[in-house]
Amino acid sequence: MTRIFSGIKPTGHLTLGNYLGAVRRWAEVDQHRADALFCVVDLHALTVDHDPARVRRLSRQAATLLLASGLDPELCTVFVQSHVDEHTRLSYLLECVATDGEMRRMIQYKEKAARERARGGSVRLSLLTYPALMAADILAYGTDEVPVGDDQTQHVELTRDLAVRFNQRYGHTFVVPRATRPEVAARVMNLQEPLSKMGKSDDSGPGIVYLLDEPDTVRKKVARAVTDSGQDVAYDREKQPGIANLLEILASCTGGSPEALSGEYRSYGALKKDTAEAVVEVLRPVRERHQALCADPAPVDDVLRRGAERARELARPTVDAAYRAIGLLPAAG
Ligand code: TYM
């Protein structure tokens, strides 16, 4: 059976980008067609300046939102990365296979490091080595497919390179995974800055729709979305990035295609209105289920405990095999 693994980082509140680019597909498609694992990758949240209490809170919220989005623990495995030691055990080995040049070439590293430096802050070493941990997340489970948004494809490519290199040097140990992406909304853009990705750790609140935003907040944010100076509603990511973004969001929410939808609108106002309503309707059940799940944390804890147990069982043999293959002496006993 196909094995799927993907993760989400608790560095901020989950956004519409996370949902349309990744989480919704995990719930609607992936968990039904494969042996799928979905992980709140909390160790990755420590790679930038962080507040311990906030990371803890956001980790629980992310796990609850995954369940509220429709991940069903009877169908898939949901767990928290730091509950399964195999991730960090394997990450070190992959740091011994990767080069520093490879890590420095990662676009996300370059962008985030530049941002941290511009703020006068220092860059944590873990921000540079992050892709080795991400590769470990994936390779520990013999993953075939990694459903992600566009911004993660470079990291998955690196994961493939590391798997192939390890296998060639030390003998076949890892499945070589591949990234899968949604047909539309693989890169939802910030409503205020349609040339930048809608990212959960960004500061520009008005351009980001959060999964837990109230309907009226969603309506306001979409109504104020930056559009382009022209008048026509055309699907052109280069010339009309703001409109193209709205068309992609609408298409993703309603199941249409952005090109076809562009022909149905004569005004930006009408497009914004329909997009806002489509987003409100898509997010409504998620918000409602989230509220219900928050009433009692015990069942969520239980899902995470069982998820971590299963994840550990799955990962241990592969990580043990990697330790042997790379030349480490097995502990006696
Ligand atoms: P993260 O937490 O930034 O995002 C989680 C998922 O949401 C997708 N995504 C988007 N898709 C479309 N438009 C957007 N604006 C948008 N923003 C985010 C991301 O592509 C991702 O699929 N490094 C990863 C987490 C991770 C991981 C892994 C993923 C760690 N280990 C192993 C897969 C497999 C990250 O920071 O995702």
Side-chain angles (χ1 to χ4, degrees):
M1 195 179 197
T2 304
R3 173 71 50 79
I4 286 183
F5 180 97
S6 202
I8 191 147
K9 197 172 61 200
T11 41
H13 298 285
L14 266 57
T15 71
L16 184 66
N18 296 131
Y19 188 69
L20 299 181
V23 177
R24 188 175 63 165
R25 200 162 41 114
W26 302 348
E28 287 180 2
V29 185
D30 296 327
Q31 68 173 348
H32 298 284
R33 68 178 182 89
D35 179 5
L37 296 105
F38 301 107
C39 185
V40 176
V41 287
D42 54 350
L43 295 169
H44 288 281
L46 311 185
T47 55
V48 289
D49 210 13
H50 79 284
D51 167 30
R54 184 163 188 265
V55 169
R56 208 173 295 127
R57 206 170 50 242
L58 288 173
S59 297
R60 170 174 290 284
Q61 189 191 66
T64 310
L65 273 170
L66 291 183
L67 300 176
S69 300
L71 291 189
D72 176 351
E74 299 303 318
L75 297 175
C76 67
T77 302
V78 181
F79 69 106
V80 174
Q81 183 189 32
S82 65
H83 297 177
V84 180
D85 292 342
E86 270 55 39
H87 295 243
T88 45
R89 282 181 70 212
L90 182 56
S91 174
Y92 179 72
L93 297 201
L94 296 174
E95 284 179 27
C96 298
V97 174
T99 66
D100 78 315
E102 266 170 335
M103 297 285 160
R104 286 182 205 285
R105 274 198 294 278
M106 294 293 113
I107 295 164
Q108 288 219 335
Y109 169 71
K110 288 197 221 169
E111 287 178 356
K112 286 189 181 165
R115 224 180 298 152
E116 291 281 324
R117 287 194 184 103
R119 283 193 194 128
S122 52
V123 177
R124 294 185 182 182
L125 179 58
S126 54
L127 187 66
L128 180 64
T129 57
Y130 178 122
L133 180 57
M134 177 160 163
D137 301 336
I138 297 167
L139 298 180
Y141 296 96
T143 304
D144 302 290
E145 292 179 21
V146 190
V148 281
D150 257 4
D151 61 331
Q152 296 301 321
T153 46
Q154 195 188 24
H155 290 155
V156 181
E157 280 304 309
L158 177 63
T159 303
R160 289 170 60 84
D161 291 347
L162 297 182
V164 168
R165 196 176 307 152
F166 190 104
N167 288 345
Q168 277 170 354
R169 282 189 194 157
Y170 306 115
H172 186 83
T173 308
F174 298 123
V175 173
V176 181
R178 66 184 184 90
T180 62
R181 61 195 289 283
E183 275 169 33
V184 279
R187 192 175 186 81
V188 176
M189 307 309 265
N190 186 304
L191 298 177
Q192 289 296 315
E193 300 163 34
L195 296 177
S196 313
K197 186 190 76 172
M198 185 185 283
K200 60 174 128 54
S201 23
D202 299 345
D203 305 324
S204 166
I208 304 171
V209 175
Y210 294 103
L211 251 55
L212 292 177
D213 276 347
E214 298 283 337
D216 275 346
T217 309
V218 173
R219 290 188 184 103
K220 263 187 218 136
K221 286 178 176 175
V222 176
R224 289 182 194 151
V226 167
T227 44
D228 315 285
S229 49
Q231 292 299 319
D232 300 340
V233 176
Y235 180 58
D236 185 333
R237 269 210 173 248
E238 279 193 6
K239 292 199 188 110
Q240 299 204 348
I243 292 298
N245 192 34
L246 292 176
L247 285 167
E248 285 220 16
I249 293 172
L250 178 61
S252 176
C253 291
T254 59
S257 90
E259 290 89 351
L261 284 169
S262 67
E264 292 178 18
Y265 289 92
R266 300 271 160 274
S267 80
Y268 290 174
L271 172 63
K272 283 182 171 178
K273 194 158 175 297
D274 285 3
T275 305
E277 291 315 314
V279 173
V280 165
E281 285 318 308
V282 161
L283 298 189
R284 188 188 303 282
V286 179
R287 274 181 62 241
E288 287 173 359
R289 282 195 295 256
H290 178 262
Q291 217 166 9
L293 286 165
C294 282
D296 180 7
V300 177
D301 284 343
D302 197 47
V303 167
L304 297 179
R305 190 181 44 73
R306 282 186 288 129
E309 268 167 26
R310 171 151 198 270
R312 252 178 246 126
E313 271 167 31
L314 289 176
R316 189 159 299 152
T318 306
V319 178
D320 284 349
Y323 267 63
R324 283 193 300 276
I326 206 167
L328 298 170
L329 182 67

